Structures are given as C-alpha cells and as structure tokens.
Amino acid sequence: MAETFRLTMAQANPVMGDLAGNAAKAREAWEAGKSAGSKLVVMPEMFIVGYNPQDLILKPALQVAALREIEALAVACADGPALAIGGPLAEDGKLYNAYFVLKGGKIAHIQRKHHLPNYTVFDEERLFDHGPLGGPYDVDGVRVGSPICEDAWFEDVCETLEETGAEILVVPNGSPYYRDKFDRRMNHMVARVVETGLPLVYVNMVGGQDDQVFDGGSFVLNPGGELAVQLPVFDEMIAHVDFTRTADGWKAEQGARAVLPAGEEQDYRVCVEALRDYMGKTGFKKVLLGLSGGIDSALVATIAVDALGAENVRCVMLPSEYTSQGSLDDAKDIAERLGVRYDYVPIAEGRQAITNTLAPLFEGTEPGLTEENIQSRLRGLLLMALSNKFGEMLLTTGNKSEVAVGYATIYGDMAGGYNPIKDMYKTRVFETCRWRNAVHRDWMAGPEGEVIPVTIIDKPPSAELRPDQKDEDSLPPYDELDAILTMLVDEERSVADCVAAGFDRETVKRVEHLLYISEYKRFQSAPGARLSRKAFWLDRRYPIVSRWRDNA
C-alpha cells in the first residue's frame, strides 16, 4: 500500500469552444504532472469546452466533438498519471455536467454532477440533468472522490463519497468572481472537510468569459480545515501537492500559501483580465475610446493600457463648444501619462451639418435633450467609423450608476463592444482611480505612479452637452444615488426600506422610476466585467416592458 501520493492541480484558462486548444492545455498539465511523478492530474470543471457555456452546451455536435476530444486525450495520456477533466456527457437521452477520469488509455470513471446551480449567472437546471450520488474512483490504490463544484456546497455528495470509501476529495470548479466570494467558498469547503474528515483539493479555473472572470485561488485543506496550499488568484498555474498516509488517513504536506489581495485590487484585476481575455479570445488586438477628460473614460483608458499595453490603445478627444478647457487639458494630460495615441477630432462641423439637415423638421421647436443627444450620437458615429476602418474595438465607458438610471445616450456614448466598468458604481470609480494612482503591480502593463491626473478626480462630473452642465443637475449626488441603487438593485430592497434608511421618498421614487424605464437601454448595452452578484445581465433579468412600481 502506497504511503505517499502526489497530485497535480492545474489552475488553467480555457477558451470557450476551443476543444483542441483546451485539450492541448490539459495535455501540457499532464506532461508537467508526469515529469513531477504525480499519480493524478486534475483540471477544472467543464474544461474541455469552457465555462459558462450557456446554450452552446445543448448543441449535439458539440457534445459529440467534446467526448471525442476527451477519448483522444485518454489515448494520448495513457502512459503516465491519470488525468481528470470536466466536460459534457450525453447519455440515454440526458445531458450531464460530468468529470471524466482518464487512465490506461480509456475513460476509467465518470462523475455526474448532482446539484445544479440555478441562480445569478447559472442556468444549469435548464441545461443539464441531475446525476446520481456517485462513488469514488481508484488512482494507484488511493480512493478519490470528485464532487463537482456545486456538489461540494452541500453535505450529501461529499458524505456519500466518504461513506463509500473516498480517502481524498478533489473538487473541480468553474466558479466566477464577485467581491468576497472566496470567503464563501472557503467556508463551504472547510465545512465539508470537518464533516467528512477527509483532505480536500479545490481546483478552480482562471480567465475571462464574456462578463465573468474566473479568479482561481485554488487551495488544499487538510482534515480539520487546516490550509495546506493556497494558489494565487487570477494567475494560470500548475502546482504539485504531496500527500502522506497517516494513522488518521491522508494528509497534504505544507506547500506555498499565496497572500490574497484586498477587494479593491481584485475588482480592478477583474476589469483588466476581463478586457484582456475578451480581446484575446475574440481576436481583437487594439481598442479605442472617447477620452472626454472625465473620470470614467480616464479609468477605462487606464484599464485598457494595463490590460493591453499603451501601443494597443487609441484615445480620441471629440470636443464641442461646450467642452471646457480643463477637460481638453486633462484628456491630453492623461493620454501623455499613459503613453497612448491621442487623436483630436472636433465635432462642430459635423454637428452643424446635422443641425442644418434637421432644421426644416425641427422648425418651431425649442432646443433641448434631442440636440444634446445629437452630440453624443455623432461622437459614437465617429468612434465607430474609426473602429470599422482600423479594426480597433470601441470601448464604452459608462459606470454602473449611469447604466442603472439610463444617464447615457443609446447609440451614442453607449456605443461599443465592451465596458470594463459596467458593474462599478460611480463612487467606487473615484476610489479605484485613487487606488490605481497609489498602487502598481507586475500584471499591469501601464506605467506606475499618478497616471490619472488629480484634476480629473477632483472636478465635478459633467457630460458637457450644454453650458455649465453638471451631473447633479439631473441626478442626486453620487454618494446618495449609489447608496439608493445598492439597496434597490444589489439588495432588492423596497422603497420603504430606503426611506427607513433615511433617504427622501421622492428621491427614491425618482431613482426607482429611472431604473425601470432604462431597462431597454441595458438590454442593448455592451457586456462588461462582473464585479458583484447583481451585475446587469445574467444576474438581474428584468422585463423591458413593466408597469410595476413599488408604491407601498
């Protein structure tokens, strides 16, 4: 009977639908495990396809191709350690989220996911069938049980595995980030370890997929809940873990324990990684954005440079007669600090041409919001023209506060392919800019130091679409607005709850009204990095047409 057992965990970044590429990454991890003398190499959940596949997983051709790729992996990895990898299993008219154990040139064991998450971004109830409570599999004389992701958030699957002989738990995950989620994961896994008395290997994927970022942070727990290994968040990594048999069962030897960064750093890293992977996985190389001299576009420009490098970022100032000299100076200043290309494209001539074209139709009316929106839409048109001509993806720069209440022009400043700060409230935008000026990490491609001018952070926000315009002419102060939105959106609280918290009822009702009537804008908005459990898209799915208002 073996007294030691080496396992290799691969915290890897799959590309959705790239079956051959994902298989190649699994093969690379297997080769590393083989060289290290491991007996088992473990990949994350659904790795052969990528996660979260949504309805793509329902396509029979994909299911067949994924299984074929897994079978080919088994043959290629016959001479060496067992390889465990997640993928879909179509079987007897049902579809399972499965975990395949490859050994000796064939599929030696299949674990089918039992608990299917059906909340926030997850729709597994409509995609997969519930698997049975399975048993462990043998790897070189060691009995390993693999509850798949959600299975380890409940007692029954792990208890069944322990009762049927499992000696080590290996939990493959496709668990996306939101702030403070790591603590929830750790609490659940510690509970499973305490209940079963077994060591547990938690392996999570990394990388961006549309709005979601998988943050890794894989770890190993010993019986009693003691942390033995902690991998860093967000980085691809292959790590080897040694277990020793003791009188009380298997125990992992102490390994590297990464220190996890604070929440504001993780949020910013998500924005960077989301954009970097969205670009890389869709094939885009360069981005452009409208640089207004305001704080939102300043932060997005900084994120873009940190994600892609200054040489791949173009910033465009599109001034009108309402653009202040301060904004002109600030936009040029940050462009120079970041080292990006900076283009100056005044919109006065184009705006006048549009005004002349519409003059006969607008005769007898007073100028107002329509004319303001023409400026925004003209900027959107010019930026999209540059995007089309040069193959650079346009970034849009609206924060969560603006996206929530519709303080943005559809087909104007909302134009673009991705929005890195879509789930970041305005008050947090200010905090993030100050943080980035004070902090630099090696994963940032941009320069260190004060990259965002303090004048941008300190000046009152303004769309500058009319003389002396300020955001607070149309909205409550952002600290008040964000607090109300946090209650109404993130916490699903009532109007009465907001009033009880000290907010003026008329203000709360106005914010609620703006929130509901702006649903159509959000439905057409660009995807963006998910930072919370209530990001606009899969986390919060409201009807576009609705007369519901909370009048209690």
Side-chain angles (χ1 to χ4, degrees), residues 288-290 373 375-381 383-384 393-420 422 465 517-528 536:
L288 78 154
L289 65 138
N373 287 342
Q375 298 172 62
S376 181
R377 292 190 173 114
L378 177 56
R379 290 182 173 118
L381 182 150
L383 289 168
M384 281 304 304
M393 190 177 75
L394 175 59
L395 299 180
T396 183
T397 61
N399 60 71
K400 189 173 185 176
S401 310
E402 296 172 349
V403 172
V405 297
Y407 194 64
T409 304
I410 196 166
Y411 319 125
D413 56 323
M414 289 180 66
Y418 204 76
N419 180 357
K422 185 178 181 179
L465 296 175
I517 66 170
S518 301
E519 201 62 50
Y520 79 100
K521 289 187 179 181
R522 289 190 288 275
F523 192 80
Q524 300 180 61
S525 65
F536 292 123

Side-chain angles (χ1 to χ4, degrees), residues 23 87 99 106 115 129 133 139 142 156 159 162 199 209 245 262 275 286 294 312 329 337 371 405 473 488 492 519 541:
Y99 201 54
K106 63 182 181 180
H115 291 288
D129 291 282
L133 292 171
V139 179
V142 179
D156 54 350
E159 286 185 348
E162 186 270 332
Q209 174 57 40
R245 190 189 296 274
L275 177 60
K286 296 177 180 288
N312 294 312
D329 294 342
R337 294 186 190 208
E371 285 72 18
V405 297
D473 298 340
L488 294 178
E492 295 289 6
E519 201 62 50
R541 311 177 204 188

